Amino acid sequence: MFRINIKLIYFTLISLLVVTQLTDAIPAGELPRYEPGVLYLPNKAIALDDGYELSIQGVLGGIVLIVCGILLGLHGMWDKTAAGRNIQSLTGFITFGFITWIMLANFEPDGSGYGQNRLTIYFIVPFIVGLVCICFMAVTIQLYLMFIGGLGAIAFGLWILGWKENLSIASNYGRAILLTVLALVFMLMVLYSSLWVRLSSALAGPYIFFMGLDIYFHTGFLYCFTSTLDVNPNHAHTFQTHRGVYIMQSCLIIACLVAFVIHRFNRHIINNQHNFVMNTRRLPDYQYKSNPRKGYFPRFNTFLPQFLYRGTAPVPIVAAQPPPPPPIATVV
């Protein structure tokens, strides 16, 4: 049932995107710049009045972020597979989607940039790359644990930077060092203890959720992410702290604590998944290249259509059982 709902969500998002491209939209009201092909929606919930307008691409992006944040922050409740196949796919989608967005933002040329479909490119390219990378995540083992740790570290670092005007660390090099050190520590520690898996997902999930909310409310909370990871000189980012940002930062603490407590009740599931994944490196039959059996990948039945089913682990080869001894004849 969960698989069907995910497919319906993806189908709805892609359908809305197609409708957006076929619509000759005109910006509503006075905007800081005119962008043909962009449909702006009325939004009275915007808290920060700096010329920001909610576009249909922003609506779709906010939905994706909110759904991904909820699923990541509460993955112990819905992913009960032995190896964590579902959360493995989700972390691959989120990680490579964010990496693609960051690359698009930092390498966008000056002048016209990506043209009149700029906002559509910023939405659809990371979305498609994330879906494609799910297929590659299906043939990895411990990598998704490191991705969870990395996402939690980035979320924790951004939360630290978001308490001061123009970020807590003014230097770009200082921010890079902070995020890099945190990412390395978290990515290593998740391999040794499932506690760090629970902590990282409890940090990353709510942060992504609040990023999606800020697309609709625009308190300026999202500017911490863009100001830190988008260093393109053609993009003007000004992170200002005010009551709305402080409220989002404070609510984020409560959401992380709630997510961690929920993980506490489902810790046996996450512990079993962590033990299963980490113990596979000790199995002599866990070989990808030398395994002669065909179709050794089990079914991978989440986030992928029917023709892309793959698996996360080869099935160990079971040694043939010796034949039973012949019966002993008895003489009466």
Side-chain angles (χ1 to χ4, degrees):
M1 188 64 183
F2 179 78
R3 182 179 67 218
I4 298 176
N5 293 335
I6 290 295
K7 290 182 179 180
L8 289 176
I9 292 174
Y10 286 167
F11 177 77
T12 303
L13 294 178
I14 295 175
S15 301
L16 289 174
L17 183 63
V18 173
V19 171
T20 303
Q21 291 303 301
L22 296 178
T23 304
D24 187 12
I26 300 177
E30 296 181 0
L31 298 175
R33 63 180 182 273
Y34 183 91
E35 296 191 47
V38 179
L39 175 62
Y40 290 98
L41 304 177
N43 184 10
K44 297 181 179 180
I46 295 178
L48 184 61
D49 186 13
D50 59 352
Y52 172 83
E53 293 287 341
L54 181 63
S55 64
I56 187 64
Q57 291 89 344
V59 172
L60 300 179
I63 293 175
V64 173
L65 290 176
I66 290 175
V67 172
C68 290
I70 294 176
L71 293 179
L72 179 59
L74 304 177
H75 72 90
M77 298 181 61
W78 57 271
D79 184 11
K80 301 182 184 301
T81 58
R85 296 197 304 264
N86 300 332
I87 189 63
Q88 181 186 51
S89 304
L90 181 64
T91 52
F93 174 79
I94 295 174
T95 303
F96 288 103
F98 274 137
I99 291 175
T100 305
W101 187 94
I102 294 171
M103 293 180 64
L104 287 174
N106 284 277
F107 292 102
E108 182 178 7
D110 56 353
S112 59
Y114 295 126
Q116 71 176 27
N117 294 322
R118 175 176 178 268
L119 295 183
T120 302
I121 291 174
Y122 271 107
F123 170 74
I124 194 62
V125 174
F127 188 86
I128 296 300
V129 171
L131 291 179
V132 172
C133 289
I134 291 178
C135 303
F136 297 98
M137 290 297 296
V139 295
T140 63
I141 306 174
Q142 293 91 7
L143 184 61
Y144 87 92
L145 295 177
M146 301 181 69
F147 281 170
I148 293 178
L151 291 173
I154 298 299
F156 181 58
L158 292 176
W159 179 80
I160 294 175
L161 295 174
W163 287 101
K164 190 176 180 181
E165 195 89 4
N166 292 326
L167 303 177
S168 301
I169 301 177
S171 171
N172 290 332
Y173 295 103
R175 301 169 195 165
I177 293 174
L178 172 66
L179 296 180
T180 302
V181 171
L182 287 176
L184 290 176
V185 172
F186 274 64
M187 291 173 72
L188 291 177
M189 294 305 297
V190 294
L191 299 177
Y192 290 96
S193 174
S194 61
L195 172 64
W196 287 84
V197 178
R198 303 198 303 269
L199 176 62
S200 299
S201 58
L203 291 171
Y207 196 93
I208 296 173
F209 174 79
F210 276 87
M211 286 175 59
L213 284 182
D214 198 62
I215 292 180
Y216 302 102
F217 296 105
H218 189 60
T219 63
F221 173 81
L222 191 58
Y223 283 160
C224 179
F225 173 84
T226 56
S227 300
T228 304
L229 300 178
D230 180 9
V231 294
N232 193 326
N234 301 312
H235 298 165
H237 300 292
T238 302
F239 179 70
Q240 299 177 352
T241 54
H242 52 88
R243 185 180 64 177
V245 175
Y246 290 137
I247 290 176
M248 295 286 279
Q249 290 275 94
S250 302
C251 292
L252 182 59
I253 299 175
I254 299 175
C256 292
L257 291 177
V258 171
F260 188 78
V261 171
I262 293 176
H263 282 326
R264 177 70 179 176
F265 289 105
N266 298 280
R267 64 185 183 276
H268 62 283
I269 298 176
I270 302 177
N271 292 345
N272 293 337
Q273 292 173 348
H274 186 272
N275 293 334
F276 182 89
V277 170
M278 295 307 299
N279 288 332
T280 53
R281 68 182 188 273
R282 301 189 181 98
L283 298 178
D285 295 326
Y286 214 85
Q287 303 293 331
Y288 284 99
K289 297 180 180 180
S290 61
N291 197 327
R293 293 184 58 182
K294 296 181 180 180
Y296 52 35
F297 289 106
R299 290 175 63 83
F300 182 71
N301 54 4
T302 305
F303 296 110
L304 293 179
Q306 198 76 18
F307 58 91
L308 286 179
Y309 280 160
R310 294 294 184 268
T312 57
V315 178
I317 300 177
V318 180
Q321 298 294 330
I328 302 175
T330 56
V331 179
V332 178

